[in-house]
Structure formats: C-alpha cells, structure tokens
Amino acid sequence: MVQIPEHPAPTSTPQYSVPTSADVARLAGVSRATVSYVLNNASAVRISEPTRRRVHQAAKELGYVPHAAARSLRAGHSRMVLMPAPAVPVGPLYSQFFNELQWALSRFDYTVVQYGSVGLQGDEAARAWAELRPVAVLVPGSGLGPQGVAVLKRSGARAVLTLGPERVEGAHALLMDHSVVGRSAGAHLLARGRRRIGVVMPEDPGLDIFAKPRLEGVRQALHGTGATLTEVPLAYEEQSAAQLAARWRALGLDAVFAYNDEYAMLLMRALQDEGIPIPDETAVIGADDLMLGRLLRPRLSTVHIELPSGQELAELVDRAVRDFGAPPGTHEVLGATVLHRASS
Amino acid sequence: MVQIPEHPAPTSTPQYSVPTSADVARLAGVSRATVSYVLNNASAVRISEPTRRRVHQAAKELGYVPHAAARSLRAGHSRMVLMPAPAVPVGPLYSQFFNELQWALSRFDYTVVQYGSVGLQGDEAARAWAELRPVAVLVPGSGLGPQGVAVLKRSGARAVLTLGPERVEGAHALLMDHSVVGRSAGAHLLARGRRRIGVVMPEDPGLDIFAKPRLEGVRQALHGTGATLTEVPLAYEEQSAAQLAARWRALGLDAVFAYNDEYAMLLMRALQDEGIPIPDETAVIGADDLMLGRLLRPRLSTVHIELPSGQELAELVDRAVRDFGAPPGTHEVLGATVLHRASS
DNA sequence: TTGAAAGCGCTACCAT
DNA sequence: ATGGTAGCGCTTTCAA
C-alpha cells in the first residue's frame, strides 16, 4: 500500500508552535466550541457581539489559520476537486481552459487542486489520488481504467469525470473525440477538390492520443469518396521537415492535414523552401487556430477547436457531485470549425 | 477568517461506506495497530508472516486506501509541496520546467500539489494555502508579500520559496530577473551597430512582470552609450501590429527588441508587409527561442532563456526544508544567451 | 508478537 | 449565550 520512508527529524524546533483553535480559545477566554462558532459564522447559535470581537481579535493576534485536514476529517468530506496534471505538455488552449474551469468551480465553492502524478501508473495513480479523499476527480487524457474509477469511488469520490477520447466504465465522460477535428479537415480538403490527402503524424509518441483520432477522422471523411489517405510521419524539427519536403513530390499528394498549426508551419516552410507552391500544388491545413498561423504567407487555414466553457463544465461537475446516485452520463464536448484562409 | 457555506446534504447515502483501517483490522481479525504496522512496513516491530498476509488480504479485499488527512494530522506534518498555479498563462517553457520539478521533487518523496487560487488576493491567498499545512510553498511570480510569508511560516511551512523578480522578506528567493534578457538583447543590438533601439511592450498587463524587467535590462545595456531607447506598445493582434508598422518609419528606429518571439513574429510580418527590409533597415530580436522563429525569413534572432533544472531546484527545496532554521538564501536562476540568426 | 488507548485539530451535539 | 465532550482515521507509545 503506502510506504512512509523515514525522514530526519527537524534540526531545530520552531520557536512558535502552530496556533490551534484551542490557543485562540485560551487567549480569548472562551471555549473551543465558541471559537469554532464565531470563526465559521455558525447560524445555529447566537454569540454575543463582545465575545465575537474577542475571538476575532485573539485569532488575528495569534495569526490563527484553521487546519484543513482536521476540518475535513471531522466533517467527513471535503470540497476538493482533484485534477491530475496532464503528463503531456499541452498548449495555451488547455491552460486557458483549465484556468477558466478553476475559476468557475471556485464559484461553486470547490477547491481545485492539480496533482502531479508523474511516474505513477494507472491504478497506482488512482490510489494516490484517493488518499486525498477528493469529492470529485477530473481526469484528463486516458490512463484511468475502470479499476481506478472503482478505487476512487470506494474512497468517497462522489464524481469521477474523464476528459478524453473514450468512455470509462463508472465515470462520467466528457468525450473529447478529436476525430471531429480530422473529419472537418478532411471534408474541407475534399470540398476544395483535393483527392490525394496526406496526414502528418507527429513522431512524438506523447501526441498519439490526439494524432490517432485526428487521423481516423480524416479517414472517415474520405471514406467512400475514392480519395486516398497517406500517413506522413514528421518530427518537430526543421531537419525532419526538410527531409520530408525533399521527397514530397514523390508522395504525389495534393493536400495535407498537418496535425496542428505548429506542424503545419514547420511543414509549410519546408515545402516553400523546396519550391512547392501552396496551395496550388499542395493545400495545407492545420488545427488549433494559433494567432501565428495568420502571419504566414499564404495565411494558414486551420481547424478551430472549441472546448467546453469552464462554466458549463463546473456545472456538470457540481451536478454530478450532488446527484451522485445517478448513472454517469456522456457528453460530447469538442467542437470543430474550419477557418478557411489562403493555404487551402 | 474562513467561512464554510452550507451545502445540501447528500441526496442518498453511499451503499458502502469508505473502508477504514478499523474495517481492515476487523476483517483480518487483528487490531488497528497491527494493520498500521503491516501496511507501513514498520521496522520497529516484527509481525508474523501469516498475520501480514491476512492484513494485506483484508486490505485488498476491502479496497482500503489510507486517509492522507488523518495521517498527516496524526503525524503533525505532511510532505506536501504546494505550488500556486501561475495566474498568467505561461508558455511551454514553464510547463516543461514545472513537470521536471515535479518529477525531481517526487524523487525526494514530496507530493507536489498545484493549487488554483484564482481570485484570491495576496495575503488572503496565503491563508488559503496555509490551511493545507504544506511543508513547503513554491510561489511563482510576485504577489506574495512578507505578511504572506509570515502567515505560511506560522502555519508550519518549513520553507517558502519565491520564483520571481524580487526578494521577499523571510522567503528563499529564486531570483528570475528578466532584466538579464533585456541586457543580452540590448548588448547584442549595440554590438551589431544599432543605435536607435525600440522595445516592444505588450499591452496585456499580465505580462508586465516580465516586460518591465526586460525593458529595464535594455535600458541598462544602453546606458552611457548614447544609444536611444523607445518603448513601443503592441497588442497581440494583427491589427495592432499593422498600425504600428504603418507609423514605423516615423519612429526612426534601426532595431527592436520585441519582448519575445511571438511578438517578434507578429511585428516582423507587419514590417515586411509594409516593405521594411529586415535586418537592413530595422533589426529584430525576440526571446524564448521558439522553434517557430527559425522558420521565418530572415530567421529570427532570439534570446535563449535558461531556467534552472528541476533537479537543482528540488535539491534547493529539500535543503531549505531540512535546514529550516537557516536564513533564507538568494539564488540567481535565470540565464540568457543570444542566438544570433539572420534578423539582426 | 499483538492489543489497548491516547491524541493530532476540529466541529456539532447536548448540557447548562 | 456558552462550555463539555465525543469522535472523524490514523500512528505510536506502553503493556501484556
């Protein structure tokens, strides 16, 4: 289970020990109960104004800060929403989404905590999270199995939500099916009259969870149209792009969906250096709608991705927590819109 | 102090209550003490092999997960390193640095938790953090005052480290003085023979904490050389860049440090659209060494920024925790190197 | 080798 | 209006 390694004892004792509510009570000349009532604005009991003042004064004087662990231990539950930090370095899109979510959840009086679980595998990670007894767990990406969900629920988590490509038994699913991105891109390229379509596959294996569904989406869009699909591996390096560009004409493609805008920019530059006219000979489309794509010449077409608003998601979490008897639901939360610019 | 709003009672009771070590003890037919010994591999006591097996078996059967809050309450301390999530959306540089740090700290058996404190102000935030009784707090950016540091320390935090532009009384400082970035850029432009130097100031006020020191660094580099410095406000939008470019010649600048690579790319495109040759008429240098800067024509010169390694930082944190009697130290942790490419 | 029990800081019930 | 106190889950002496 859990091992507590030994750590050296403090080299010196703190001059002041941490003040507790008992200290506040002593200083104010009241009982611990009264302190608790006052500091929590308990509505069930009425405390006289002078007493309140004395307590507040004493608390301030001592620099008293309540002990969250003790409180939630006593209460039997917490308002902590735990969110494992995604292992893959994610873009600004996600960062912003996360901040928004955090803000929205705090409006519901939840405390959002991002837990770094580097190096832990699957169910082992779930156990580590469960030790914190969060009221809800919001898991990005894949990597949590039904076992993990069960562990969390048995440990009192009232809602487990996954943000990822697939449903997990027992958990609410916020399906972020990236195939819709590929479908949009594929459909767009078809509509532009392209027939021999390449799809960039980043060589960074960490990106597979996004890249594979996007590829699959393109495949779906092309299905039954007679258009061909060619996977094009590419590392996020100039040299890799140059090599690819050198053999580009041999691939015989008239369009390429470049996984995202960054890869698109990398590839586009290499193709242009090779003298391949865009979009005439090869159309290029990216994804993520980065500002920088607009600066290219020709301007980069892209698939704009809509994540759910933090507000919506926070409501979903709150509802799941409150109706935690209800069966877990599934929500499609990824939108995709093609922004047609000059490169396609 | 802290207000606990009321929340509706559970709509239904969980079918199974969360298993405790007492449940494990009961099922295994031993005492709670024995369970604790077994699950924590206590070296002080020897437990017979059959008993161990029974305990492990029972724990597994019940899906027992220890309660971190109860444990740290009893222990009187935790191994939690708390890191407030930076309010400003930060780039991939920081994300990677953070992951590395997290990993390194986990090697020291710390649990890293990122706490989202959106909407909390200064010392209020510090109190919220202090409620969690972290053993160490690692605060990025500015925003924590001496008061806040005191609150944290009085609440048992054995180390408070700030990652930011300036020292804070009582806290260890990992000084990330961005003026070194500006100094490098300024010195480089001077060395290239430029004399009328512009410095892009992003209009996003959240970036001021980086932008102002960078500006100051340029000022320092130019000091006493007779070169002039002009602040150039720019929003991260094409239109803003276009407007700036339109009046560029009137500014009479022969070089510009563009805050970072993204702003540099934005500006460079606008200048080129305006027919201003780079670097002949105006030299451009960015910062952050983004891959995408290499794709521009001319290739973008940049200031490569070196953050400290996660390993180093983890060691620093660990030492600070262990020798928490020692006076807080100051460490310069930002390096800057100019990568001269074609744009300057 | 194992068990009984105290107590970490806090809140909520029940007295007064 | 205020105080006494039990008990949340856990670890760790001390006794047996």
Side-chain angles (χ1 to χ4, degrees):
Chain A
M1 307 273 118
V2 175
Q3 304 191 15
I4 304 278
E6 314 213 358
H7 293 287
T11 52
S12 73
T13 27
Q15 7 191 355
Y16 306 100
S17 64
V18 180
T20 73
S21 76
D23 295 322
V24 176
R26 206 162 15 247
L27 182 57
V30 297
S31 75
R32 275 153 58 233
T34 304
V35 171
S36 176
Y37 291 143
V38 171
L39 298 185
N40 295 313
N41 287 317
S43 45
V45 283
R46 300 223 61 78
I47 304 284
S48 71
E49 204 42 54
T51 305
R52 305 185 82 84
R53 238 190 299 282
R54 284 219 311 287
V55 170
H56 278 125
Q57 171 60 28
K60 191 171 184 182
E61 200 163 309
L62 293 175
Y64 169 71
V65 174
H67 192 307
R71 173 180 293 172
S72 67
L73 183 58
R74 164 70 221 221
H77 61 87
S78 75
R79 299 280 295 170
M80 183 201 300
V81 174
L82 188 146
M83 215 173 147
V88 192
V90 284
L93 213 73
Y94 180 86
S95 304
Q96 196 198 327
F97 158 72
F98 175 74
N99 273 348
E100 213 184 297
L101 173 64
Q102 193 149 265
W103 165 257
L105 280 171
S106 77
R107 304 305 304 164
F108 284 99
D109 198 53
Y110 292 102
T111 291
V112 184
V113 154
Q114 216 173 351
Y115 189 94
S117 41
V118 219
L120 294 165
Q121 295 290 329
D123 295 342
E124 199 180 347
R127 246 195 304 277
W129 305 337
E131 292 194 6
L132 299 181
R133 297 290 191 272
V135 66
V137 183
L138 209 46
V139 192
S142 49
L144 182 71
Q147 306 263 27
V149 176
V151 168
L152 289 168
K153 290 200 158 176
R154 291 200 60 76
S155 302
R158 295 185 40 173
V160 180
L161 311 244
T162 59
L163 270 90
E166 52 199 8
R167 280 199 49 86
V168 177
E169 182 66 30
H172 294 260
L174 304 177
L175 278 187
M176 309 207 329
D177 182 2
H178 279 253
S179 70
V180 68
V181 177
R183 268 201 305 282
S184 303
H188 170 75
L189 294 175
L190 279 176
R192 302 294 301 162
R194 308 291 168 155
R195 284 292 173 274
R196 299 184 310 282
I197 294 174
V199 175
V200 167
M201 296 299 287
E203 288 186 355
D204 179 347
L207 296 179
D208 274 358
I209 49 168
F210 302 125
K212 286 191 169 166
R214 290 183 185 189
L215 169 67
E216 196 46 46
V218 177
R219 201 186 303 284
Q220 290 166 13
L222 302 197
H223 184 73
T225 65
T228 66
L229 187 159
T230 308
E231 293 185 39
V232 184
L234 175 60
Y236 193 57
E237 289 160 17
E238 259 191 298
Q239 198 197 356
S240 175
Q243 285 167 358
L244 176 57
R247 58 190 187 86
W248 189 257
R249 289 205 156 101
L251 292 171
L253 301 173
D254 61 9
V256 61
F257 167 54
Y259 172 66
N260 74 6
D261 285 354
E262 293 186 295
Y263 280 84
M265 292 167 82
L266 178 61
L267 178 58
M268 221 167 102
R269 163 55 60 199
L271 293 179
Q272 288 176 326
D273 286 352
E274 197 67 25
I276 294 168
I278 295 169
D280 304 334
E281 187 171 330
T282 300
V284 178
I285 185 169
D288 287 355
D289 190 17
L290 294 191
M291 144 77 77
L292 295 178
R294 259 171 283 187
L295 304 179
L296 302 192
R297 294 299 180 266
R299 291 168 187 266
L300 180 64
S301 293
T302 190
V303 181
H304 176 85
I305 296 175
E306 292 131 28
L307 288 177
S309 81
Q311 177 64 26
E312 285 175 88
L313 228 66
E315 278 166 19
L316 222 60
V317 170
D318 186 53
R319 201 166 327 130
V321 166
R322 309 233 301 245
D323 308 345
F324 79 110
T330 303
H331 305 259
E332 274 289 351
V333 294
L334 211 65
T337 320
V338 169
L339 297 181
H340 180 204
R341 295 202 273 252
S343 71
S344 64
Chain B
M1 306 271 119
V2 175
Q3 305 189 14
I4 302 280
E6 315 213 356
H7 293 287
T11 51
S12 73
T13 28
Q15 6 190 352
Y16 306 102
S17 63
V18 180
T20 73
S21 76
D23 296 322
V24 176
R26 204 160 19 244
L27 182 57
V30 297
S31 75
R32 275 153 61 230
T34 305
V35 171
S36 177
Y37 290 143
V38 172
L39 298 185
N40 295 313
N41 286 318
S43 45
V45 283
R46 299 222 60 78
I47 304 284
S48 70
E49 204 43 55
T51 304
R52 304 184 82 84
R53 235 191 301 282
R54 283 219 310 289
V55 170
H56 278 126
Q57 171 61 29
K60 191 171 183 181
E61 200 163 310
L62 292 175
Y64 170 72
V65 174
H67 192 308
R71 172 181 294 170
S72 66
L73 182 58
R74 164 69 218 218
H77 61 87
S78 75
R79 298 282 293 171
M80 183 200 299
V81 174
L82 187 145
M83 214 173 150
V88 194
V90 285
L93 213 73
Y94 180 86
S95 303
Q96 196 198 327
F97 157 72
F98 175 75
N99 273 347
E100 213 184 297
L101 173 64
Q102 192 148 267
W103 165 256
L105 280 171
S106 77
R107 304 305 304 164
F108 284 98
D109 198 53
Y110 291 102
T111 291
V112 183
V113 153
Q114 223 177 147
Y115 188 94
S117 41
V118 218
L120 294 165
Q121 295 289 331
D123 295 342
E124 199 180 348
R127 246 196 304 279
W129 305 337
E131 292 194 5
L132 298 182
R133 297 289 191 274
V135 66
V137 184
L138 209 46
V139 192
S142 50
L144 182 72
Q147 306 263 28
V149 176
V151 168
L152 289 168
K153 290 199 158 176
R154 291 198 61 76
S155 302
R158 297 191 31 178
V160 181
L161 311 245
T162 58
L163 270 90
E166 52 200 7
R167 280 199 48 87
V168 177
E169 182 66 32
H172 294 262
L174 304 177
L175 278 187
M176 309 206 329
D177 182 3
H178 280 253
S179 70
V180 67
V181 178
R183 267 200 306 281
S184 303
H188 170 74
L189 294 175
L190 279 177
R192 303 293 302 163
R194 308 291 168 155
R195 285 292 173 272
R196 299 186 309 282
I197 294 175
V199 175
V200 167
M201 296 299 286
E203 288 186 355
D204 179 346
L207 296 179
D208 274 359
I209 48 168
F210 303 125
K212 286 190 170 168
R214 290 184 185 188
L215 169 67
E216 197 46 45
V218 178
R219 201 186 303 284
Q220 290 167 13
L222 302 196
H223 185 73
T225 65
T228 66
L229 187 158
T230 308
E231 293 184 39
V232 184
L234 176 61
Y236 193 56
E237 289 160 18
E238 258 191 299
Q239 200 197 354
S240 175
Q243 285 168 358
L244 176 57
R247 60 191 185 85
W248 189 259
R249 289 206 157 101
L251 291 172
L253 302 173
D254 61 9
V256 60
F257 168 53
Y259 172 66
N260 73 7
D261 286 352
E262 292 186 297
Y263 280 84
M265 292 167 82
L266 179 59
L267 178 58
M268 220 167 105
R269 163 55 59 198
L271 293 179
Q272 287 176 327
D273 286 352
E274 197 68 24
I276 294 167
I278 296 169
D280 304 334
E281 186 170 332
T282 300
V284 178
I285 184 169
D288 287 356
D289 191 16
L290 294 191
M291 143 77 78
L292 296 178
R294 260 171 283 188
L295 305 179
L296 302 191
R297 295 298 180 267
R299 291 168 187 265
L300 179 64
S301 294
T302 191
V303 180
H304 176 84
I305 296 175
E306 292 131 28
L307 288 177
S309 82
Q311 177 63 26
E312 285 175 90
L313 228 65
E315 277 166 20
L316 223 58
V317 170
D318 186 53
R319 203 169 324 132
V321 165
R322 308 230 303 242
D323 307 346
F324 79 110
T330 302
H331 305 258
E332 273 290 350
V333 293
L334 210 65
T337 320
V338 169
L339 297 181
H340 180 204
R341 295 204 272 251
S343 71
S344 64

